[in-house]
Every structure is written in structure tokens, then in C-alpha cells.
Amino acid sequence: MIKTKLLDKYADARAEMILLLKERGIADESVLKAMSEVERHLFIPLPLRNHAYDDAALPIGEGQTISQPYTVAIMTEELHVKELDKVLEIGTGSGYQTAILAAMGIRVFTIERLPGLLKTAKQVLESLNVRFVSKMSDGTIGWREFSPFDGILVTAGAPEIPKPLIEQLKVGGKLVIPVGSQDFQQMKIVTKVDENNRCEIIDKADFKFVPLIGKEGWHEDDSR
Ligand code: SAH
């Protein structure tokens, strides 16, 4: 352990990132602890690693991005999940959000539609001994086999809330999803209130995500 700390030249930058998250209002200790432990730079392409702890989204290839630390923190906090809960993540991307959830003791199921990104993310996560279950697929239809979930996190912007995701939530569970145009989206916190898939929806601030592409999302030929 001590050896890892000495070799971790990013430890100070990571501590500063945590301070900034606190200043911006992130208060959930389990989220802050996970984000102070997981080495974000390992999920960033080498040439950009010096920016790994900036509060910014960064390119990870194939036109996709790793979400900025504040966005990861607020989405995870809004899920209100705890150790051993089951969470479905749509959009594995770099694998960073997967690692954060796993560090919180959550059982993570993650879906990515681009094979190249999933391959790289799996390699990084496996090298860190992160426990997760993943598949390459269209996440807009969820993952019925492992449902119902305590929480569902969508890390790409949707035109509307995909129905299958509500169906695959437990009653009382939350779906955190950015919804809007392809240019910007409003973060929605959707709580399933009964077995008939009725929901309460709270709108949060605006964000900008890459598009969620799939059956219940944007279609590949939708013009931007
Ligand atoms: N959670 C990621 C963020 C990645 S960006 C991270 O921590 O790095 C969003 C990702 O969603 C992209 O990799 C994109 O390819 C993926 N995506 C878009 N539509 C999808 C769909 N229908 N199913 C699964 N993944 C999707």
C-alpha cells in the first residue's frame, strides 16, 4: 500500500479534486471516499493524463468522453444507493464511473455499445481488480436478465426517458438520466413509485453529454 502511495504522483491532484467537489456541494461521504481512492488518470488516454484531475470532461476516443468529476459525483450522489445494491450503468465509456460504483461496494452491471471502448475499459478495470459485469449492447433497452435494479445511471444524453429502464427499476429505485436535445440536456432524477411504473421526476441543472444512441434513444441517422 505504502509503495503505491509513493508511486502515485497524482495523489495531490486527486486530493485537490475532492476539495473542489466538496466546495461545489458534494456531501455524500461514500461518493467522496470512492473518488479519493480510484485513480482517475488510469482511465484517461496517456497524452491527456496531466489533465486527469481537472474538473473537465476529456476525450477517450471514438468521439466519446469521460464525464467531468463533478458530473460523476452528482449523478452518483443522486442515485442514493448503498453497499450491495444492484446498479445498471448505461455507457461504460472509460470505465471510471463503473470503478466508482464498485468502490462503494455496489454490484455494477454496465453496458457499452462501442466494442473498442468496452475492451479498453475492461482491461483497465480488470487490472485494478474491480468487480463488475458488462456486455456490449444497446443499453436503452436495459438488461432484463439482471433486473430489477436499485438504481440505473445513464451516462449519455437521451431524447426521452426509455420505458424499459423504468420497468427494470425496483419500486423506490432511482433512474438518473440526462434528457434533452443533442446539444444540452437536463439531468432528471426519476423515482419509481409503484409497480405500475408511475414515477416522480425532479429536474436538475443542465449538462452536455454525448448522445445515447439506440432503440429507445437517438437513432444513428438523426441529424445533429
Ligand atoms: N460512464 C462513462 C462515460 C462515457 S460517455 C465514463 O465514466 O467514462 C457515454 C458512453 O455511452 C459512450 O461510451 C457511448 O458509446 C455510450 N453509449 C451511447 N449510447 C449507448 C447505448 N445505447 N448503450 C450503451 N452505451 C451507449
Side-chain angles (χ1 to χ4, degrees), residues 198-219:
R198 282 199 311 166
C199 292
E200 269 166 15
I201 302 179
I202 297 174
D203 291 329
K204 294 280 177 175
D206 285 347
F207 289 84
K208 177 159 178 46
F209 283 80
V210 295
L212 180 75
I213 297 171
K215 184 164 178 280
E216 307 282 335
W218 295 101
H219 300 132

Side-chain angles (χ1 to χ4, degrees), residues 64-65 89 91-94 97 112-114 117 138-139 155 213:
Q64 309 303 319
T65 52
E89 176 195 20
T92 317
S94 67
Q97 173 79 67
E112 170 58 52
R113 65 181 280 272
L114 297 175
L117 288 183
D138 172 11
T155 67
I213 297 171

Side-chain angles (χ1 to χ4, degrees), residues 4 51 85-86 95 107 118 121 135 146 157 167 173 191 194 200:
T4 342
H51 296 285
D85 277 355
K86 243 166 55 176
R107 291 179 288 161
L118 185 58
K135 73 167 171 179
F146 291 110
E167 290 162 10
T191 308
D194 66 21
E200 269 166 15

Side-chain angles (χ1 to χ4, degrees), residues 69-89:
Y70 175 71
T71 308
V72 172
I74 192 91
M75 290 181 84
T76 312
E77 187 169 77
E78 292 291 355
L79 261 186
H80 288 286
V81 284
K82 55 181 190 316
E83 212 172 335
L84 295 182
D85 277 355
K86 243 166 55 176
V87 168
L88 176 65
E89 176 195 20

Side-chain angles (χ1 to χ4, degrees), residues 169-184:
L169 263 185
K170 286 185 188 168
V171 172
K174 289 188 198 302
L175 162 66
V176 178
I177 181 168
V179 178
S181 68
Q182 290 203 4
D183 292 324
F184 69 95

Side-chain angles (χ1 to χ4, degrees), residues 7-213:
L7 287 175
D8 181 7
K9 66 169 180 162
Y10 293 104
D12 289 347
R14 197 157 52 248
E16 272 175 41
M17 176 187 82
I18 299 298
L19 278 180
L20 185 78
L21 292 175
K22 286 184 182 165
E23 269 170 36
R24 291 195 66 179
I26 304 298
D28 186 324
E29 285 299 333
S30 63
V31 174
L32 291 167
K33 181 166 180 287
M35 292 188 71
S36 65
E37 286 171 3
V38 175
E39 297 181 294
R40 181 173 162 92
H41 61 277
L42 300 178
F43 296 86
I44 311 274
L46 269 175
L48 292 172
R49 280 210 178 154
N50 282 341
H51 296 285
Y53 297 96
D54 296 357
D55 198 20
L58 296 169
I60 53 171
E62 308 206 29
Q64 309 303 319
T65 52
I66 176 172
S67 305
Q68 90 182 69
Y70 175 71
T71 308
V72 172
I74 192 91
M75 290 181 84
T76 312
E77 187 169 77
E78 292 291 355
L79 261 186
H80 288 286
V81 284
K82 55 181 190 316
E83 212 172 335
L84 295 182
D85 277 355
K86 243 166 55 176
V87 168
L88 176 65
E89 176 195 20
I90 318 287
T92 317
S94 67
Y96 179 68
Q97 173 79 67
T98 312
I100 296 299
L101 291 166
M104 292 167 67
I106 286 155
R107 291 179 288 161
V108 196
F109 299 81
T110 184
I111 306 178
E112 170 58 52
R113 65 181 280 272
L114 297 175
L117 288 183
L118 185 58
K119 185 165 174 252
T120 309
K122 277 173 86 167
Q123 279 166 355
V124 178
L125 291 166
E126 280 161 14
S127 74
L128 296 172
N129 290 321
V130 175
R131 294 185 59 160
F132 65 101
V133 182
S134 66
K135 73 167 171 179
M136 192 199 72
S137 181
D138 172 11
T140 64
I141 56 170
W143 200 342
R144 205 162 287 280
E145 199 183 335
F146 291 110
S147 68
F149 298 97
D150 297 286
I152 302 180
L153 197 59
V154 180
T155 67
E160 50 194 67
I161 299 169
K163 282 218 177 61
L165 301 186
I166 305 284
E167 290 162 10
Q168 293 175 31
L169 263 185
K170 286 185 188 168
V171 172
K174 289 188 198 302
L175 162 66
V176 178
I177 181 168
V179 178
S181 68
Q182 290 203 4
D183 292 324
F184 69 95
Q185 308 86 27
Q186 193 163 39
M187 190 68 72
K188 292 191 183 284
I189 317 297
V190 184
T191 308
K192 175 162 166 173
V193 295
D194 66 21
E195 287 294 351
N196 296 324
N197 297 311
R198 282 199 311 166
C199 292
E200 269 166 15
I201 302 179
I202 297 174
D203 291 329
K204 294 280 177 175
D206 285 347
F207 289 84
K208 177 159 178 46
F209 283 80
V210 295
L212 180 75
I213 297 171

